[in-house]
Amino acid sequence: MLELLYASLGLSVAGAVLALVAGRSPRAAKAVACVFGMLAALASFGSGAIALTSPAALVTFVGPMPFTNFTLLLNPLAGLLMCVISVLAFVAWLYGLSYFDEYLDRGMGSIGFFMNLFIASMMLVILSDNAFWFLVFFELMSLTSYMLVIVEQNEKSFKGGFLYLVMAHIGFLMIAISFFLMATATGSLEFESFREAAFEPGLATAAFFLAFFGFGAKAGIVPFHSWLPQAHPAAPSNVSALMSGGMIKIGIFGICKVCFDLLGAAGGQVSWGIVVVIIGAVSSVLGVAYALREHDLKSLLAYHSVENIGIILLGVGTGIVGWASGNVWLAGIGLMAGLYHLVNHAMFKGLLFLGAGSVLHATGTRNMEILGGLARVMPVTAVCFLMGSLAISAIPPLNGFVSEWFTYQGLIGAAMTDDILLRVVFAFAVVALAITGALAVTCFVKAFGVTFLGEARSDAARNAHEVPLPMKASMVLLTVICVALGLGAAWFTPLFSDIASSVLAAPAAPAATGAVLVSLDTASAVSPLLIFVLLACVFAVCLLMRNAANAKAGVVRDEDPWACGYAPDTHMEALASTVGAHVGSNLTPLYTLRSGVNGAGNAVANFVQHAVAPEDAAADAAKGAQDGATRPLSDSVLSVVHSLGTWFSRLESGDFRTYIVYIVVALVFFLALIILVR
């Protein structure tokens, strides 16, 4: 187990150095980086897979000073994260065999160097069991990923990279303070000493929330999310898959490690879980709402990372509440749901980013508005992107459905407790998850339909082509994993349940019987495999009936789409700006909030820039100084009043679709009310 780990780290470092040495020959640098990267990923996957079902392994290398002792801990939770990152690293390198051809003139040696070190640093963050080395590798992870974000060397990449770097260091500072509080109380930087210490409740709470928001900044929770839609689109698409699928999950790993592991002896508090659930609910709704407004395919996917981090936090927060209140079933089902969705999101988000990269590779653009019709010329990419879209939308029987089903069970179980505060919070969380699911479906109907269906709306789309074999193979591999995690959920669920029980140091919650997933506390059961069989049978029967009826009537297939009796016209096609536009118009206050949050993030970045490079900041400030920095306060007040009046006027729009929305809102309200009074 440890031998494979050492081999993986050695291969990553060797690949980084050799890629840099071969930098004068970009193709050689690409080949060396990708081959060594894939070998390292296979070795680390093997090490992580063994750790999933093995006792924890601890190894210490004595340093010159006590605080520099290099301690590694490989337990089931670390093994799970290693497997996730290894799979993403393997497909990213495989994808790069062809995709990196576009970057041969942009320093391929440097890209190979930083990407290998980025993956190795993520592994070492997961394994470090000493606060000093944890922070060192955390910083290395941030710096190497920053170098990959700015690889395009243009204004957008520099802006996105700088904002990311600022947010990463804000998170780093909060994590460092959290560790400092625990180290001050124990007199040691070893995590083992933190585990054994029964910290005072006040210190434990301070350490938890500092770590939560610090790791949350890396994970992209609201309000620290503004870097994601700027940094992810700027990076190469296979790097975006690694960052969104792997790196931000280290934020979730850190939250779980600090809460359940390092503060385990101190015991948790229910209030911790309540805050995590509220942040998760807000992040999930706002993330998908902001994604719905995007026309850039990679920006849309970046906002969905915010959404899915929120869903993961709903599960983790439920687990914290159960752990702190002594409810073993709730703790187990909540944490298991969070870990399952962590893996699921890594797989389907990695797939979707690779799909977006394939679209960019084939057309030269990420703007959905000018695409369309790509399914005809890119069938493999289209099918893989469709499967990823169904998975992220939690459509059964794919993997996203399974983890969200377990999340619902945990939330509903917590909402049925005797505590009125928990009832209110978890009823709110159930409603938030339901809204998130509905908006996610709308968003990916838009993303897939506008990009791949209909007619090509530009020369870029008309001249598109299918991507090379390594890129297709990467997407197909992740598609197969998404299907397997869904159809085989009854066999994977006990593994996730065992990992959750190892984290909680409690018995595993029964969650599967045969091919059926079960939730004992809420008396619920579902079988993704059975759903698949039933759906396949219904589809086959309908197809046979249609074909038989057409053959009997002598109907010849009409290639033109049905247009309600009118002659089809390209102007009838749905665009990125029209799909979901009516839903988006009802979310205007949320978009106003986004502007404020993003403005705050940019203000922090500008403040840091002013501190680091005051000359550049002064020049930028001089540009916009004449544009009305002194607008009267009354203008702002009138603007707000006018906006509110305009929004309320839409309540009587006369549009039947608006009234359907009112009905849905009313149903959701009464559902929450039933849960509260039960």
Side-chain angles (χ1 to χ4, degrees):
M1 181 168 67
L2 290 176
E3 291 75 12
L4 285 172
L5 170 63
Y6 301 148
S8 170
L9 295 173
L11 286 166
S12 290
V13 173
V17 173
L18 291 174
L20 199 60
V21 171
R24 291 188 178 182
S25 174
R27 292 194 178 276
K30 180 194 74 172
V32 167
C34 291
V35 170
F36 273 80
M38 286 190 286
L39 291 174
L42 290 173
S44 58
F45 180 83
S47 179
I50 295 171
L52 292 177
T53 55
S54 301
L58 183 71
V59 59
T60 300
F61 301 93
V62 178
M65 290 174 283
F67 70 88
T68 62
N69 289 343
F70 187 45
T71 306
L72 300 177
L73 175 65
L74 181 53
N75 57 19
L77 180 61
L80 180 67
L81 268 292
M82 284 183 65
C83 288
V84 167
I85 293 172
S86 298
V87 170
L88 291 172
F90 182 83
V91 297
W93 287 120
L94 178 60
Y95 190 88
L97 286 172
S98 294
Y99 187 74
F100 277 145
D101 287 344
E102 297 183 4
Y103 293 86
L104 294 178
D105 59 346
R106 300 177 192 175
M108 190 60 234
S110 298
I111 294 173
F113 175 78
F114 286 116
M115 190 164 164
N116 268 296
L117 290 186
F118 171 50
I119 295 167
S121 63
M122 285 194 287
M123 296 295 182
L124 288 167
V125 168
I126 293 166
L127 296 168
S128 294
D129 207 52
N130 172 287
F132 173 77
W133 288 109
F134 186 100
L135 293 171
V136 167
F137 293 124
F138 192 90
E139 178 68 6
L140 180 62
M141 175 180 69
S142 298
L143 292 176
T144 51
S145 53
Y146 164 75
M147 298 305 296
L148 293 169
V149 168
I150 65 169
V151 73
E152 293 280 358
Q153 297 288 299
N154 56 34
E155 184 180 352
K156 283 189 176 180
S157 67
F158 283 127
K159 181 180 178 183
F162 185 72
L163 180 59
Y164 162 60
L165 200 62
V166 170
M167 289 298 177
H169 282 86
I170 290 174
F172 175 89
L173 181 61
M174 288 190 280
I175 296 167
I177 295 173
S178 174
F179 288 168
F180 176 77
L181 290 177
M182 290 185 276
T184 301
T186 61
S188 172
L189 289 174
E190 291 292 329
F191 284 165
E192 186 61 34
S193 65
F194 296 176
R195 293 186 188 98
E196 297 172 352
F199 297 111
E200 293 293 327
L203 188 148
T205 298
F208 171 77
F209 281 116
L210 282 166
F212 172 68
F213 287 110
F215 285 113
K218 178 63 73 176
I221 64 171
V222 173
F224 302 105
H225 68 284
S226 57
W227 64 269
L228 272 89
Q230 296 191 45
H232 284 186
S237 295
N238 50 348
V239 174
S240 299
L242 265 174
M243 291 179 68
S244 184
M247 185 190 72
I248 65 174
K249 303 306 186 306
I250 290 178
I252 301 297
F253 168 82
I255 293 168
C256 292
K257 187 176 184 70
V258 170
C259 178
F260 299 113
D261 185 17
L262 304 187
L263 296 175
Q269 298 183 29
V270 172
S271 59
W272 301 359
I274 290 175
V275 172
V276 173
V277 167
I278 292 173
I279 295 291
V282 172
S283 295
S284 63
V285 174
L286 293 185
V288 70
Y290 297 158
L292 192 60
R293 196 71 173 261
E294 290 296 323
H295 299 169
D296 182 302
L297 192 54
K298 288 182 71 175
S299 294
L300 178 147
L301 295 177
Y303 273 120
H304 273 284
S305 293
V306 180
E307 170 220 343
N308 280 276
I309 286 296
I311 294 173
I312 294 169
L313 287 180
L314 288 176
V316 172
T318 302
I320 294 173
V321 169
W323 173 64
S325 61
N327 187 330
V328 176
W329 176 85
L330 188 62
I333 201 76
L335 185 57
M336 187 265 289
L339 295 178
Y340 207 145
H341 200 72
L342 181 153
V343 174
N344 288 341
H345 177 252
M347 297 302 108
F348 56 62
K349 183 53 66 65
L351 170 59
L352 290 168
F353 265 116
L354 295 186
S358 296
V359 170
L360 178 60
H361 180 273
T363 65
T365 181
R366 305 189 305 254
N367 185 0
M368 294 181 285
E369 202 82 333
I370 61 174
L371 294 173
L374 296 183
R376 295 184 182 88
V377 293
M378 304 176 68
V380 175
T381 300
V383 170
C384 292
F385 196 93
L386 175 61
M387 297 302 289
S389 299
L390 293 172
I392 197 171
S393 301
I395 302 298
L398 294 176
N399 56 339
F401 164 77
V402 175
S403 50
E404 288 199 29
W405 184 81
F406 277 122
T407 304
Y408 271 115
Q409 303 313 309
L411 295 176
I412 293 171
M416 293 180 177
T417 59
D418 295 331
D419 190 304
I420 186 62
L421 177 60
L422 292 183
R423 286 192 174 195
V424 171
V425 170
F426 282 92
F428 162 73
V430 170
V431 172
L433 186 56
I435 293 171
T436 299
L439 293 179
V441 172
T442 304
C443 198
F444 278 94
V445 166
K446 163 184 167 176
F448 179 79
V450 173
T451 303
F452 290 96
L453 303 183
E455 297 293 330
R457 294 184 292 276
S458 66
D459 290 337
R462 279 185 285 272
N463 298 327
H465 53 82
E466 186 59 278
V467 295
L469 180 60
M471 297 171 70
K472 289 189 290 188
S474 300
M475 292 186 288
V476 169
L477 177 58
L478 289 179
T479 301
V480 170
I481 294 174
C482 288
V483 173
L485 286 169
L487 296 182
W491 292 273
F492 285 106
T493 295
L495 175 62
F496 288 106
S497 185
D498 288 342
I499 295 171
S501 76
S502 72
V503 174
L504 297 166
T513 301
V516 179
L517 306 178
V518 297
S519 172
L520 299 180
D521 205 57
T522 56
S524 301
V526 68
S527 173
L529 192 58
L530 180 59
I531 291 174
F532 171 73
V533 172
L534 292 175
L535 288 175
C537 290
V538 169
F539 179 78
V541 169
C542 292
L543 188 63
L544 291 173
M545 290 177 62
R546 189 201 70 170
N547 291 344
N550 286 349
K552 184 176 180 180
V555 175
V556 179
R557 183 180 176 188
D558 188 356
E559 296 293 336
D560 291 330
W562 182 62
C564 302
Y566 294 94
D569 187 278
T570 55
H571 295 292
M572 295 178 177
E573 287 188 18
L575 302 176
S577 55
T578 57
V579 176
H582 192 72
V583 176
S585 67
N586 291 292
L587 301 176
T588 302
L590 298 184
Y591 300 130
T592 303
L593 177 63
R594 173 176 64 172
S595 299
V597 172
N598 288 348
N602 290 327
V604 172
N606 291 335
F607 174 78
V608 174
Q609 184 183 15
H610 183 79
V612 174
E615 299 85 3
D616 295 342
D620 292 340
K623 266 182 165 177
Q626 301 174 352
D627 286 336
T630 58
R631 289 184 183 273
L633 178 62
S634 59
D635 286 356
S636 299
V637 175
L638 289 174
S639 176
V640 171
V641 172
H642 180 267
S643 298
L644 288 173
T646 302
W647 186 75
F648 279 114
S649 69
R650 294 196 186 112
L651 296 177
E652 291 291 341
S653 64
D655 189 330
F656 75 94
R657 294 171 297 183
T658 302
Y659 301 124
I660 291 175
V661 172
Y662 297 161
I663 294 171
V664 172
V665 170
L667 289 174
V668 168
F669 170 77
F670 286 114
L671 170 64
L673 190 62
I674 290 170
I675 293 175
L676 286 173
V677 301
R678 178 164 176 170

